[in-house]
Amino acid sequence: MTAEVRIGDGDGRLSPHPLRAVVLGEVHARPFTALSVPARVLHFAFDTSGDKAAADRAAMTRFCESRGLQPPAIGEKHHRASFGTTMLRWEQHSEFTTYTWEFTADATTTPFHPDASSLASPMRLLPQPGPLLVAVDLHLLADDPPVTAPERLFDRASLAVAENSDGAALYATDFQPGPSGFVRVLVIDRGMAPERAGALVQRVLEIETYRTLALLGLPEAQRLGPSISNAERRLAEVTAEMRRAGDLAINNRLLRELTELAAEVEAGAAASLGRFSASRAYEEIMTGRLATLGERKVGGLPTWSSFLARRMKPAMRTCTTTEARQSDLSLKLARAANLLRTRVDVELEQQNQELLKSMNARTRLQLRLQTTVEGLSTAAITYYVVGLFGYLVKGLYEAGQIKVDPSLVTAGFVPIAALSIWWTVRSIRRRHIAGEEE
């Protein structure tokens, strides 16, 4: 189907959005197909997450081409292939793929005869695309002559029976795998058209499929439960220890423990986020399919909606609670870590202030010592300069160049030399200080 829109005569066309064809085709991706009564349907769902989906598509393509059938188109998620009186419906979803085999059944009033294992041989023609999640054996029978009562076919403790909105069909199951490993579903036709029978059967199969997929979150929640409980207990211990004032080393140790604990919780939350989100989505789809059927009670038996609500809600609440505990624990760990980090920063600041005070005291001491050293240095240099000057004056006196007593000349030079040297040393020190400040 083209997504282009022509306007006027000739080649006038409107350029479509790149996703227009995909969006328009999605509405028609999984149409209901007519199903004649009686019929037998075997439905399989396999985990094809990751790279298994591409391998599954390639296997389906080879399977169709080897039998001269049209293979799935590139990007197509739904495909039907006919093998004489047997029809295969292949559907690929985000993390699973379904294979639905529709067989024309004999006109019989004996439900689930012959056994599903003998009918499932066509599935062996294809390589198993991934771990098996769902296996359903659905038998669609007419109500004339009357079919065996569901109470005689299923476990009464788990039996769920309902009629559709106008009573044109009755469907029953106990949601338990039988001897062949299939969950059996009985659908009794009371006057449905083939198109409506096909729609009902597809919805019933989807309910069982999404019920199973929704419950995949429960093992993940049970696996995470002990680690979350341990993290909550350790958080309580660390916060209790935080209340007691500790030194910087203890606070650093507690901060390190909180950081490791937060990393562990975040890793578990990230790993389970997709599973819990998928479980919620699958449960919503299942609930929507049940609402579409418009169930009515049959006798005193529970409907599918009431049975699944009673049996599934605790499991789904466990998933929801586990996810909420992870989120709440992450927030508490973040708050505790921030509080402890603030305490560590304050202690470090106090230590830095004390260190600065100590450095200032040492600096003042050094300045005093430096001043003392400068005074001594000035005196020492003056002594040597005056001594040299005295030798010079004595030499000039003995040579007859001067007539004044050398001792008097040397004595008069002492204050001049001392003042000059002091001024020189002070100027040098000021230049050094100015250079460091720049």
Side-chain angles (χ1 to χ4, degrees):
M1 180 182 68
T2 179
E4 295 179 340
V5 176
R6 298 190 179 190
I7 53 175
D9 298 330
D11 295 333
R13 298 179 180 180
L14 299 177
S15 179
H17 189 281
L19 300 178
R20 184 170 185 262
V22 176
V23 172
L24 293 177
E26 183 61 26
V27 180
H28 310 282
R30 297 174 179 86
F32 296 130
T33 57
L35 196 61
S36 300
V37 183
R40 193 80 174 270
V41 180
L42 297 184
H43 176 77
F44 302 89
F46 300 93
D47 177 7
T48 53
S49 56
D51 297 336
K52 294 191 288 291
D56 171 59
R57 175 180 289 277
M60 183 64 184
T61 299
R62 291 193 299 269
F63 177 75
C64 293
E65 290 176 345
S66 65
R67 287 158 178 77
L69 301 173
Q70 182 69 27
I74 297 176
E76 187 179 25
K77 300 294 185 179
H78 173 276
H79 187 69
R80 289 178 62 86
S82 178
F83 306 91
T85 58
T86 301
M87 182 70 68
L88 169 62
R89 186 169 70 247
W90 173 83
E91 296 184 22
Q92 197 167 68
H93 300 257
S94 57
E95 64 171 341
F96 68 96
T97 301
T98 61
Y99 286 80
T100 305
W101 300 86
E102 300 173 359
F103 305 94
T104 301
D106 297 331
T108 177
T109 58
T110 305
F112 308 110
H113 181 77
D115 188 73
S117 58
S118 62
L119 294 175
S121 55
M123 194 67 225
R124 300 195 193 101
L125 302 175
L126 285 154
Q128 183 171 338
L132 178 66
L133 291 169
V134 179
V136 180
D137 176 14
L138 186 145
H139 204 162
L140 174 62
L141 293 171
D143 200 23
D144 187 19
V147 182
T148 305
E151 293 89 335
R152 298 182 180 180
L153 298 171
F154 301 102
D155 181 5
R156 180 61 182 264
S158 303
L159 177 60
V161 182
E163 295 177 341
N164 61 351
S165 56
D166 59 358
L170 180 144
Y171 42 95
T173 184
D174 58 5
F175 300 101
Q176 296 184 14
S180 300
F182 291 82
V183 174
R184 300 180 302 163
V185 178
L186 175 65
V187 179
I188 300 176
D189 177 28
R190 295 174 175 173
M192 293 186 295
E195 291 78 11
R196 191 176 182 190
L200 175 67
V201 167
Q202 184 167 334
R203 290 191 182 105
V204 168
L205 293 174
E206 288 175 347
I207 289 170
E208 173 59 21
T209 301
Y210 289 117
R211 174 188 76 90
T212 304
L213 290 165
L215 289 173
L216 288 179
L218 180 60
E220 182 70 9
Q222 293 171 337
R223 182 186 68 83
L224 291 171
S227 63
I228 295 176
S229 299
N230 179 67
E232 291 172 338
R233 177 187 57 79
R234 186 64 191 128
L235 174 60
E237 293 175 352
V238 172
T239 51
E241 192 171 354
M242 285 171 56
R243 297 176 60 186
R244 299 187 294 270
D247 57 17
L248 183 60
I250 295 177
N251 288 331
N252 279 326
R253 176 180 61 80
L254 294 177
L255 182 59
R256 184 170 57 254
E257 291 184 11
L258 282 178
T259 303
E260 294 174 355
L261 196 59
E264 179 183 346
V265 172
E266 289 297 333
S272 61
L273 176 63
R275 184 72 273 152
F276 290 152
S277 299
S279 291
R280 285 196 304 272
Y282 292 140
E283 184 193 21
E284 290 176 2
I285 295 174
M286 182 201 73
T287 304
R289 297 294 188 272
L290 287 168
T292 303
L293 293 176
E295 292 183 302
R296 301 192 314 187
K297 287 182 67 67
V298 176
L301 297 171
T303 62
W304 285 34
S305 297
S306 62
F307 179 86
L308 291 176
R310 185 175 71 254
R311 299 297 179 93
M312 284 189 63
K313 285 300 180 183
M316 301 310 300
R317 278 196 293 269
T318 299
C319 297
T320 303
T321 302
T322 301
E323 190 174 16
R325 288 175 66 191
Q326 284 179 325
S327 178
D328 184 57
L329 184 57
S330 296
L331 292 176
K332 289 180 178 178
L333 283 169
R335 288 199 298 266
N338 288 334
L339 178 62
L340 193 55
R341 192 175 293 109
T342 302
R343 179 183 293 181
V344 170
D345 291 341
V346 170
E347 291 181 356
L348 285 174
E349 185 177 352
Q350 291 177 348
Q351 286 190 356
N352 291 335
Q353 289 178 353
E354 293 176 357
L355 180 61
L356 289 174
K357 291 180 180 178
S358 176
M359 291 177 62
N360 289 335
R362 285 197 298 270
T363 301
R364 286 193 297 269
L365 181 61
Q366 289 176 354
L367 289 174
R368 292 175 183 173
L369 182 61
Q370 182 178 357
T371 302
T372 304
V373 170
E374 287 178 358
L376 294 175
S377 299
T378 301
I381 296 172
T382 302
Y383 174 78
Y384 286 112
V385 170
V386 170
L388 292 174
F389 182 78
Y391 288 127
L392 177 63
V393 172
K394 287 180 181 180
L396 293 175
Y397 179 78
E398 292 177 357
Q401 298 294 324
I402 59 173
K403 303 299 183 179
V404 183
D405 186 358
S407 300
L408 295 177
V409 175
T410 303
F413 179 72
V414 170
I416 298 173
L419 183 61
S420 300
I421 293 171
W422 173 80
W423 180 263
T424 302
V425 172
R426 184 180 179 185
S427 299
I428 293 173
R429 182 164 60 85
R430 286 183 175 178
R431 284 198 298 270
H432 284 309
I433 293 174
E436 291 178 356
E437 290 178 351
E438 292 177 358

